[in-house]
Amino acid sequence: MLNRTILKTLPAGVSAPGYDPATIRTGIVHFGVGNFFRAHEAFYVDRCLALAGQQDWGIAGVGLTAGARSERKASQFTEQDCLYSLTEAAPDGARAVRVIGALHAYLLAPADPAAVLDLLADPAVRIVSMTITEGGYNIDETTGAFRLDNATVRADLAGDALPTTIFGFVVEALARRRAAGSGPFTVLSCDNLRHNGDVARTAFLGFAQVRDPGLAAWIEAHVTFPNGMVDRITPSVDDAIARTLNAASGLDDALPLVAEDFTQWVVEDRFCAGRPALEQAGVQFVADVTGYEHVKVRMLNASHILLAFPGILLGYRQVDEALRDRDLARFVNAYLELDVIPRLDSPAGLDPQDYRRSILRRFSNPAMADQLLRIGGDGSSKIQVFWTETVRRVLSDGGDLRRIAFGIAAYLEALRGVDETGVQYTPAEPTLDAAQLELVDAEDLRAALALPAFDGWRDVRSIALTDAIVAAREAIRAIGVRAALAECGGLPA
């Protein structure tokens, strides 16, 4: 089993942390210890901890969900001293394996919420970070305000028991720190959201305002919410992939993960209680992250899901397989070349064409075995974040709507849960209820356009776009995805 006792006898080719994990102290608490966090934020912090004077920035992870799966994950982290292996895989087949030691504690909030609050209230904790998914911030996409109709949020605001939501934990901890005079911490979102810090600020201030307006004012004045752009493809790891990773590394790791060799983190340098020397670990600090967000969200994230939906319908299950399909590759490339790049506001020094080529290279990496169903999951939230700006700009300048319409049609058809080979699957749409999902099977193909995925451009949606979406859905059903793509998808000659 992987743990601290074997760090000096790791298999050949496996790198150990450049520090003693037993000596680091908690400076960061992270909610949502998933694969992306472990391959991204923890990866960068792991590099920092190897630097002189940085040992106060260890990470304590917090899981928010109850149940057998969450309990098993907590047990695995504990048994392994929170160590795990990361395999970085390049498209050319090169691999590097390292043990990450940045995560040195793990708490399961439903099992001991008081311990989580005690940890957050500790003055040594100076950053509280999170990866809670794009839809996890409880924001009303129409009004932009924090939603108060969520049952768990209402329960936390009632204050009858210890909190269960991230909003309840963070705001209660800040209230305790305010009362004790121990100062604030930075709230750092690491989710794939444009201006994720501003979104987090809206969410936590919205919760705090209802609980205690005076506390909300203190948070607004003292807590910082830096925006950041995060990027690293990190696929899910099932039991079979875990066995393959362990066989290649020689480790007995219950929690191995694999990620591409590319990684990027651009963050606004606004940390109210200090931060690790992340600039020495490859993080880029900027005054305004907006331009980098525009490029990443509208090019990489948008094309990722644009590839996923028709790829799923064609029966593909991995990103690299779908990109090897010439028609799908042309479709994604045309979307980037013709719909996105001409309408993109990119920061100085970043060449969108180089970035486009990088995206296609990264998507082609077979070592990722990245699942299309994962990429397309929570499409309702992702479409709002990744496609809205491009759709609005194409509509405003009278551009070609065919590729956008086909992407939307493919999403709606993919929600039906069966590909054109007849294989059934379960779309992961956590923000949609049963009544909303029924709209995709309505006889009127326009009915599904009432779904919240399209709220971001509802005020400017045109009849032409609606008609093009309906025509593409009809074509997919009548002649199949590939023929419909040729007929309706705006592929260049």
Side-chain angles (χ1 to χ4, degrees):
M1 176 183 293
L2 177 60
N3 54 43
R4 291 176 186 167
T5 63
I6 71 164
L7 288 179
K8 293 183 179 179
T9 58
L10 292 174
V14 177
S15 300
Y19 53 91
D20 181 356
T23 65
I24 64 175
R25 296 166 292 277
T26 300
I28 302 170
V29 174
H30 184 85
F31 285 86
V33 184
N35 286 359
F36 178 75
F37 156 76
R38 293 197 292 138
H40 194 264
E41 180 185 334
F43 165 84
Y44 285 105
V45 172
D46 188 73
R47 288 180 165 184
C48 281
L49 291 169
L51 302 173
Q54 295 293 301
Q55 286 67 50
D56 289 341
W57 291 108
I59 305 171
V62 177
L64 283 169
T65 59
R69 182 178 178 183
S70 297
E71 291 170 2
R72 178 172 179 264
K73 180 178 178 180
S75 176
Q76 289 171 327
F77 275 123
T78 301
E79 290 170 359
Q80 294 199 166
D81 297 325
C82 292
L83 300 173
Y84 59 90
S85 60
L86 169 63
T87 297
E88 298 177 277
D92 64 3
R95 291 184 171 232
V97 184
R98 62 192 298 165
V99 172
I100 304 292
L103 185 71
H104 74 117
Y106 187 84
L107 287 74
L108 190 58
D112 195 349
V116 175
L117 286 172
D118 288 344
L119 175 64
L120 291 167
D122 186 336
V125 171
R126 290 175 279 171
I127 296 172
V128 174
S129 57
M130 64 207 65
T131 41
I132 55 175
T133 78
E134 294 86 355
Y137 291 82
N138 202 42
I139 301 296
D140 187 313
E141 293 296 335
T142 301
T143 65
F146 183 70
R147 297 178 58 179
L148 299 172
D149 57 354
N150 181 284
T152 54
V153 167
R154 290 200 306 268
D156 275 4
L157 285 169
D160 298 329
L162 291 173
T164 63
T165 69
I166 187 172
F167 314 109
F169 278 111
V170 168
V171 172
E172 171 62 21
L174 287 169
R176 294 183 181 190
R177 293 170 73 117
R178 177 192 182 209
S182 55
F185 47 64
T186 294
V187 175
L188 178 64
S189 170
C190 297
D191 281 299
N192 265 325
L193 289 163
R194 289 180 60 183
H195 277 62
N196 52 14
D198 293 344
V199 173
R201 183 176 184 274
T202 296
F204 289 100
L205 282 178
F207 183 96
Q209 184 65 40
V210 176
R211 172 184 158 151
D212 178 352
L215 174 61
W218 182 85
I219 292 172
E220 187 170 18
H222 298 285
V223 176
T224 49
F225 299 83
N227 293 306
M229 188 277 282
V230 298
D231 191 5
R232 188 169 216 182
I233 297 172
T234 310
S236 301
V237 175
D238 59 21
D239 290 342
I241 295 173
R243 287 192 295 270
T244 299
L245 292 171
N246 283 339
S249 69
L251 294 169
D252 179 14
D253 183 2
L255 297 161
L257 73 155
V258 61
E260 63 176 331
D261 59 337
F262 176 94
T263 182
Q264 187 178 24
W265 195 4
V266 184
V267 192
E268 293 171 354
D269 200 355
R270 295 187 289 112
F271 290 75
C272 62
R275 62 168 176 80
L278 290 165
E279 71 279 5
Q280 297 184 48
V283 177
Q284 183 177 357
F285 285 98
V286 297
D288 184 358
V289 79
T290 302
Y292 297 91
E293 288 179 332
H294 275 298
V295 173
K296 193 257 181 170
V297 168
R298 293 178 59 198
M299 291 186 69
L300 185 140
N301 296 127
S303 59
H304 223 176
I305 60 172
L306 189 76
L307 176 67
F309 300 134
I312 289 167
L313 291 173
L314 282 168
Y316 296 119
R317 289 297 177 265
Q318 293 185 188
V319 172
D320 61 297
E321 294 173 344
L323 194 64
R324 285 197 294 273
D325 185 303
R326 183 173 180 272
D327 292 331
L328 292 181
R330 290 176 62 213
F331 177 55
V332 171
N333 196 61
Y335 172 76
L336 292 170
E337 288 265 30
L338 304 176
D339 301 329
V340 180
I341 290 176
R343 300 171 178 88
L344 190 67
D345 303 315
S346 56
L350 193 155
D351 184 341
Q353 292 294 347
D354 286 344
Y355 195 78
R356 175 186 60 81
R357 287 186 286 270
S358 170
I359 289 170
L360 298 177
R361 172 185 176 273
R362 294 168 62 191
F363 288 179
S364 70
N365 190 342
M368 293 297 93
D370 206 357
Q371 297 87 355
L372 291 173
L373 288 170
R374 182 190 77 85
I375 298 300
D378 196 16
S380 181
S381 298
K382 291 177 180 177
I383 285 170
Q384 293 179 66
V385 176
F386 302 157
W387 286 359
T388 291
E389 188 62 29
T390 295
V391 174
R392 293 186 69 90
R393 294 192 183 199
V394 172
L395 285 170
S396 69
D397 66 17
D400 188 344
L401 297 170
R402 292 176 296 169
R403 287 168 292 276
I404 288 168
F406 191 87
I408 294 169
Y411 163 66
L412 294 174
E413 291 301 298
L415 283 180
R416 302 178 75 194
V418 58
D419 66 32
E420 66 178 23
T421 71
V423 174
Q424 295 183 336
Y425 55 89
T426 302
E429 283 292 345
T431 66
L432 299 182
D433 59 31
Q436 290 173 314
L437 289 171
E438 287 177 0
L439 293 176
V440 301
D441 289 316
E443 184 176 344
D444 180 1
L445 298 184
R446 290 171 173 78
L449 296 178
L451 291 175
F454 317 119
D455 285 349
W457 60 87
R458 198 169 301 284
D459 60 316
V460 295
R461 190 197 303 147
S462 68
I463 295 174
L465 178 57
T466 298
D467 289 346
I469 294 167
V470 170
R473 293 190 72 188
E474 291 173 338
I476 289 171
R477 295 186 183 189
I479 60 178
V481 177
R482 192 176 305 281
L485 182 57
E487 182 176 297
C488 308
L491 293 180

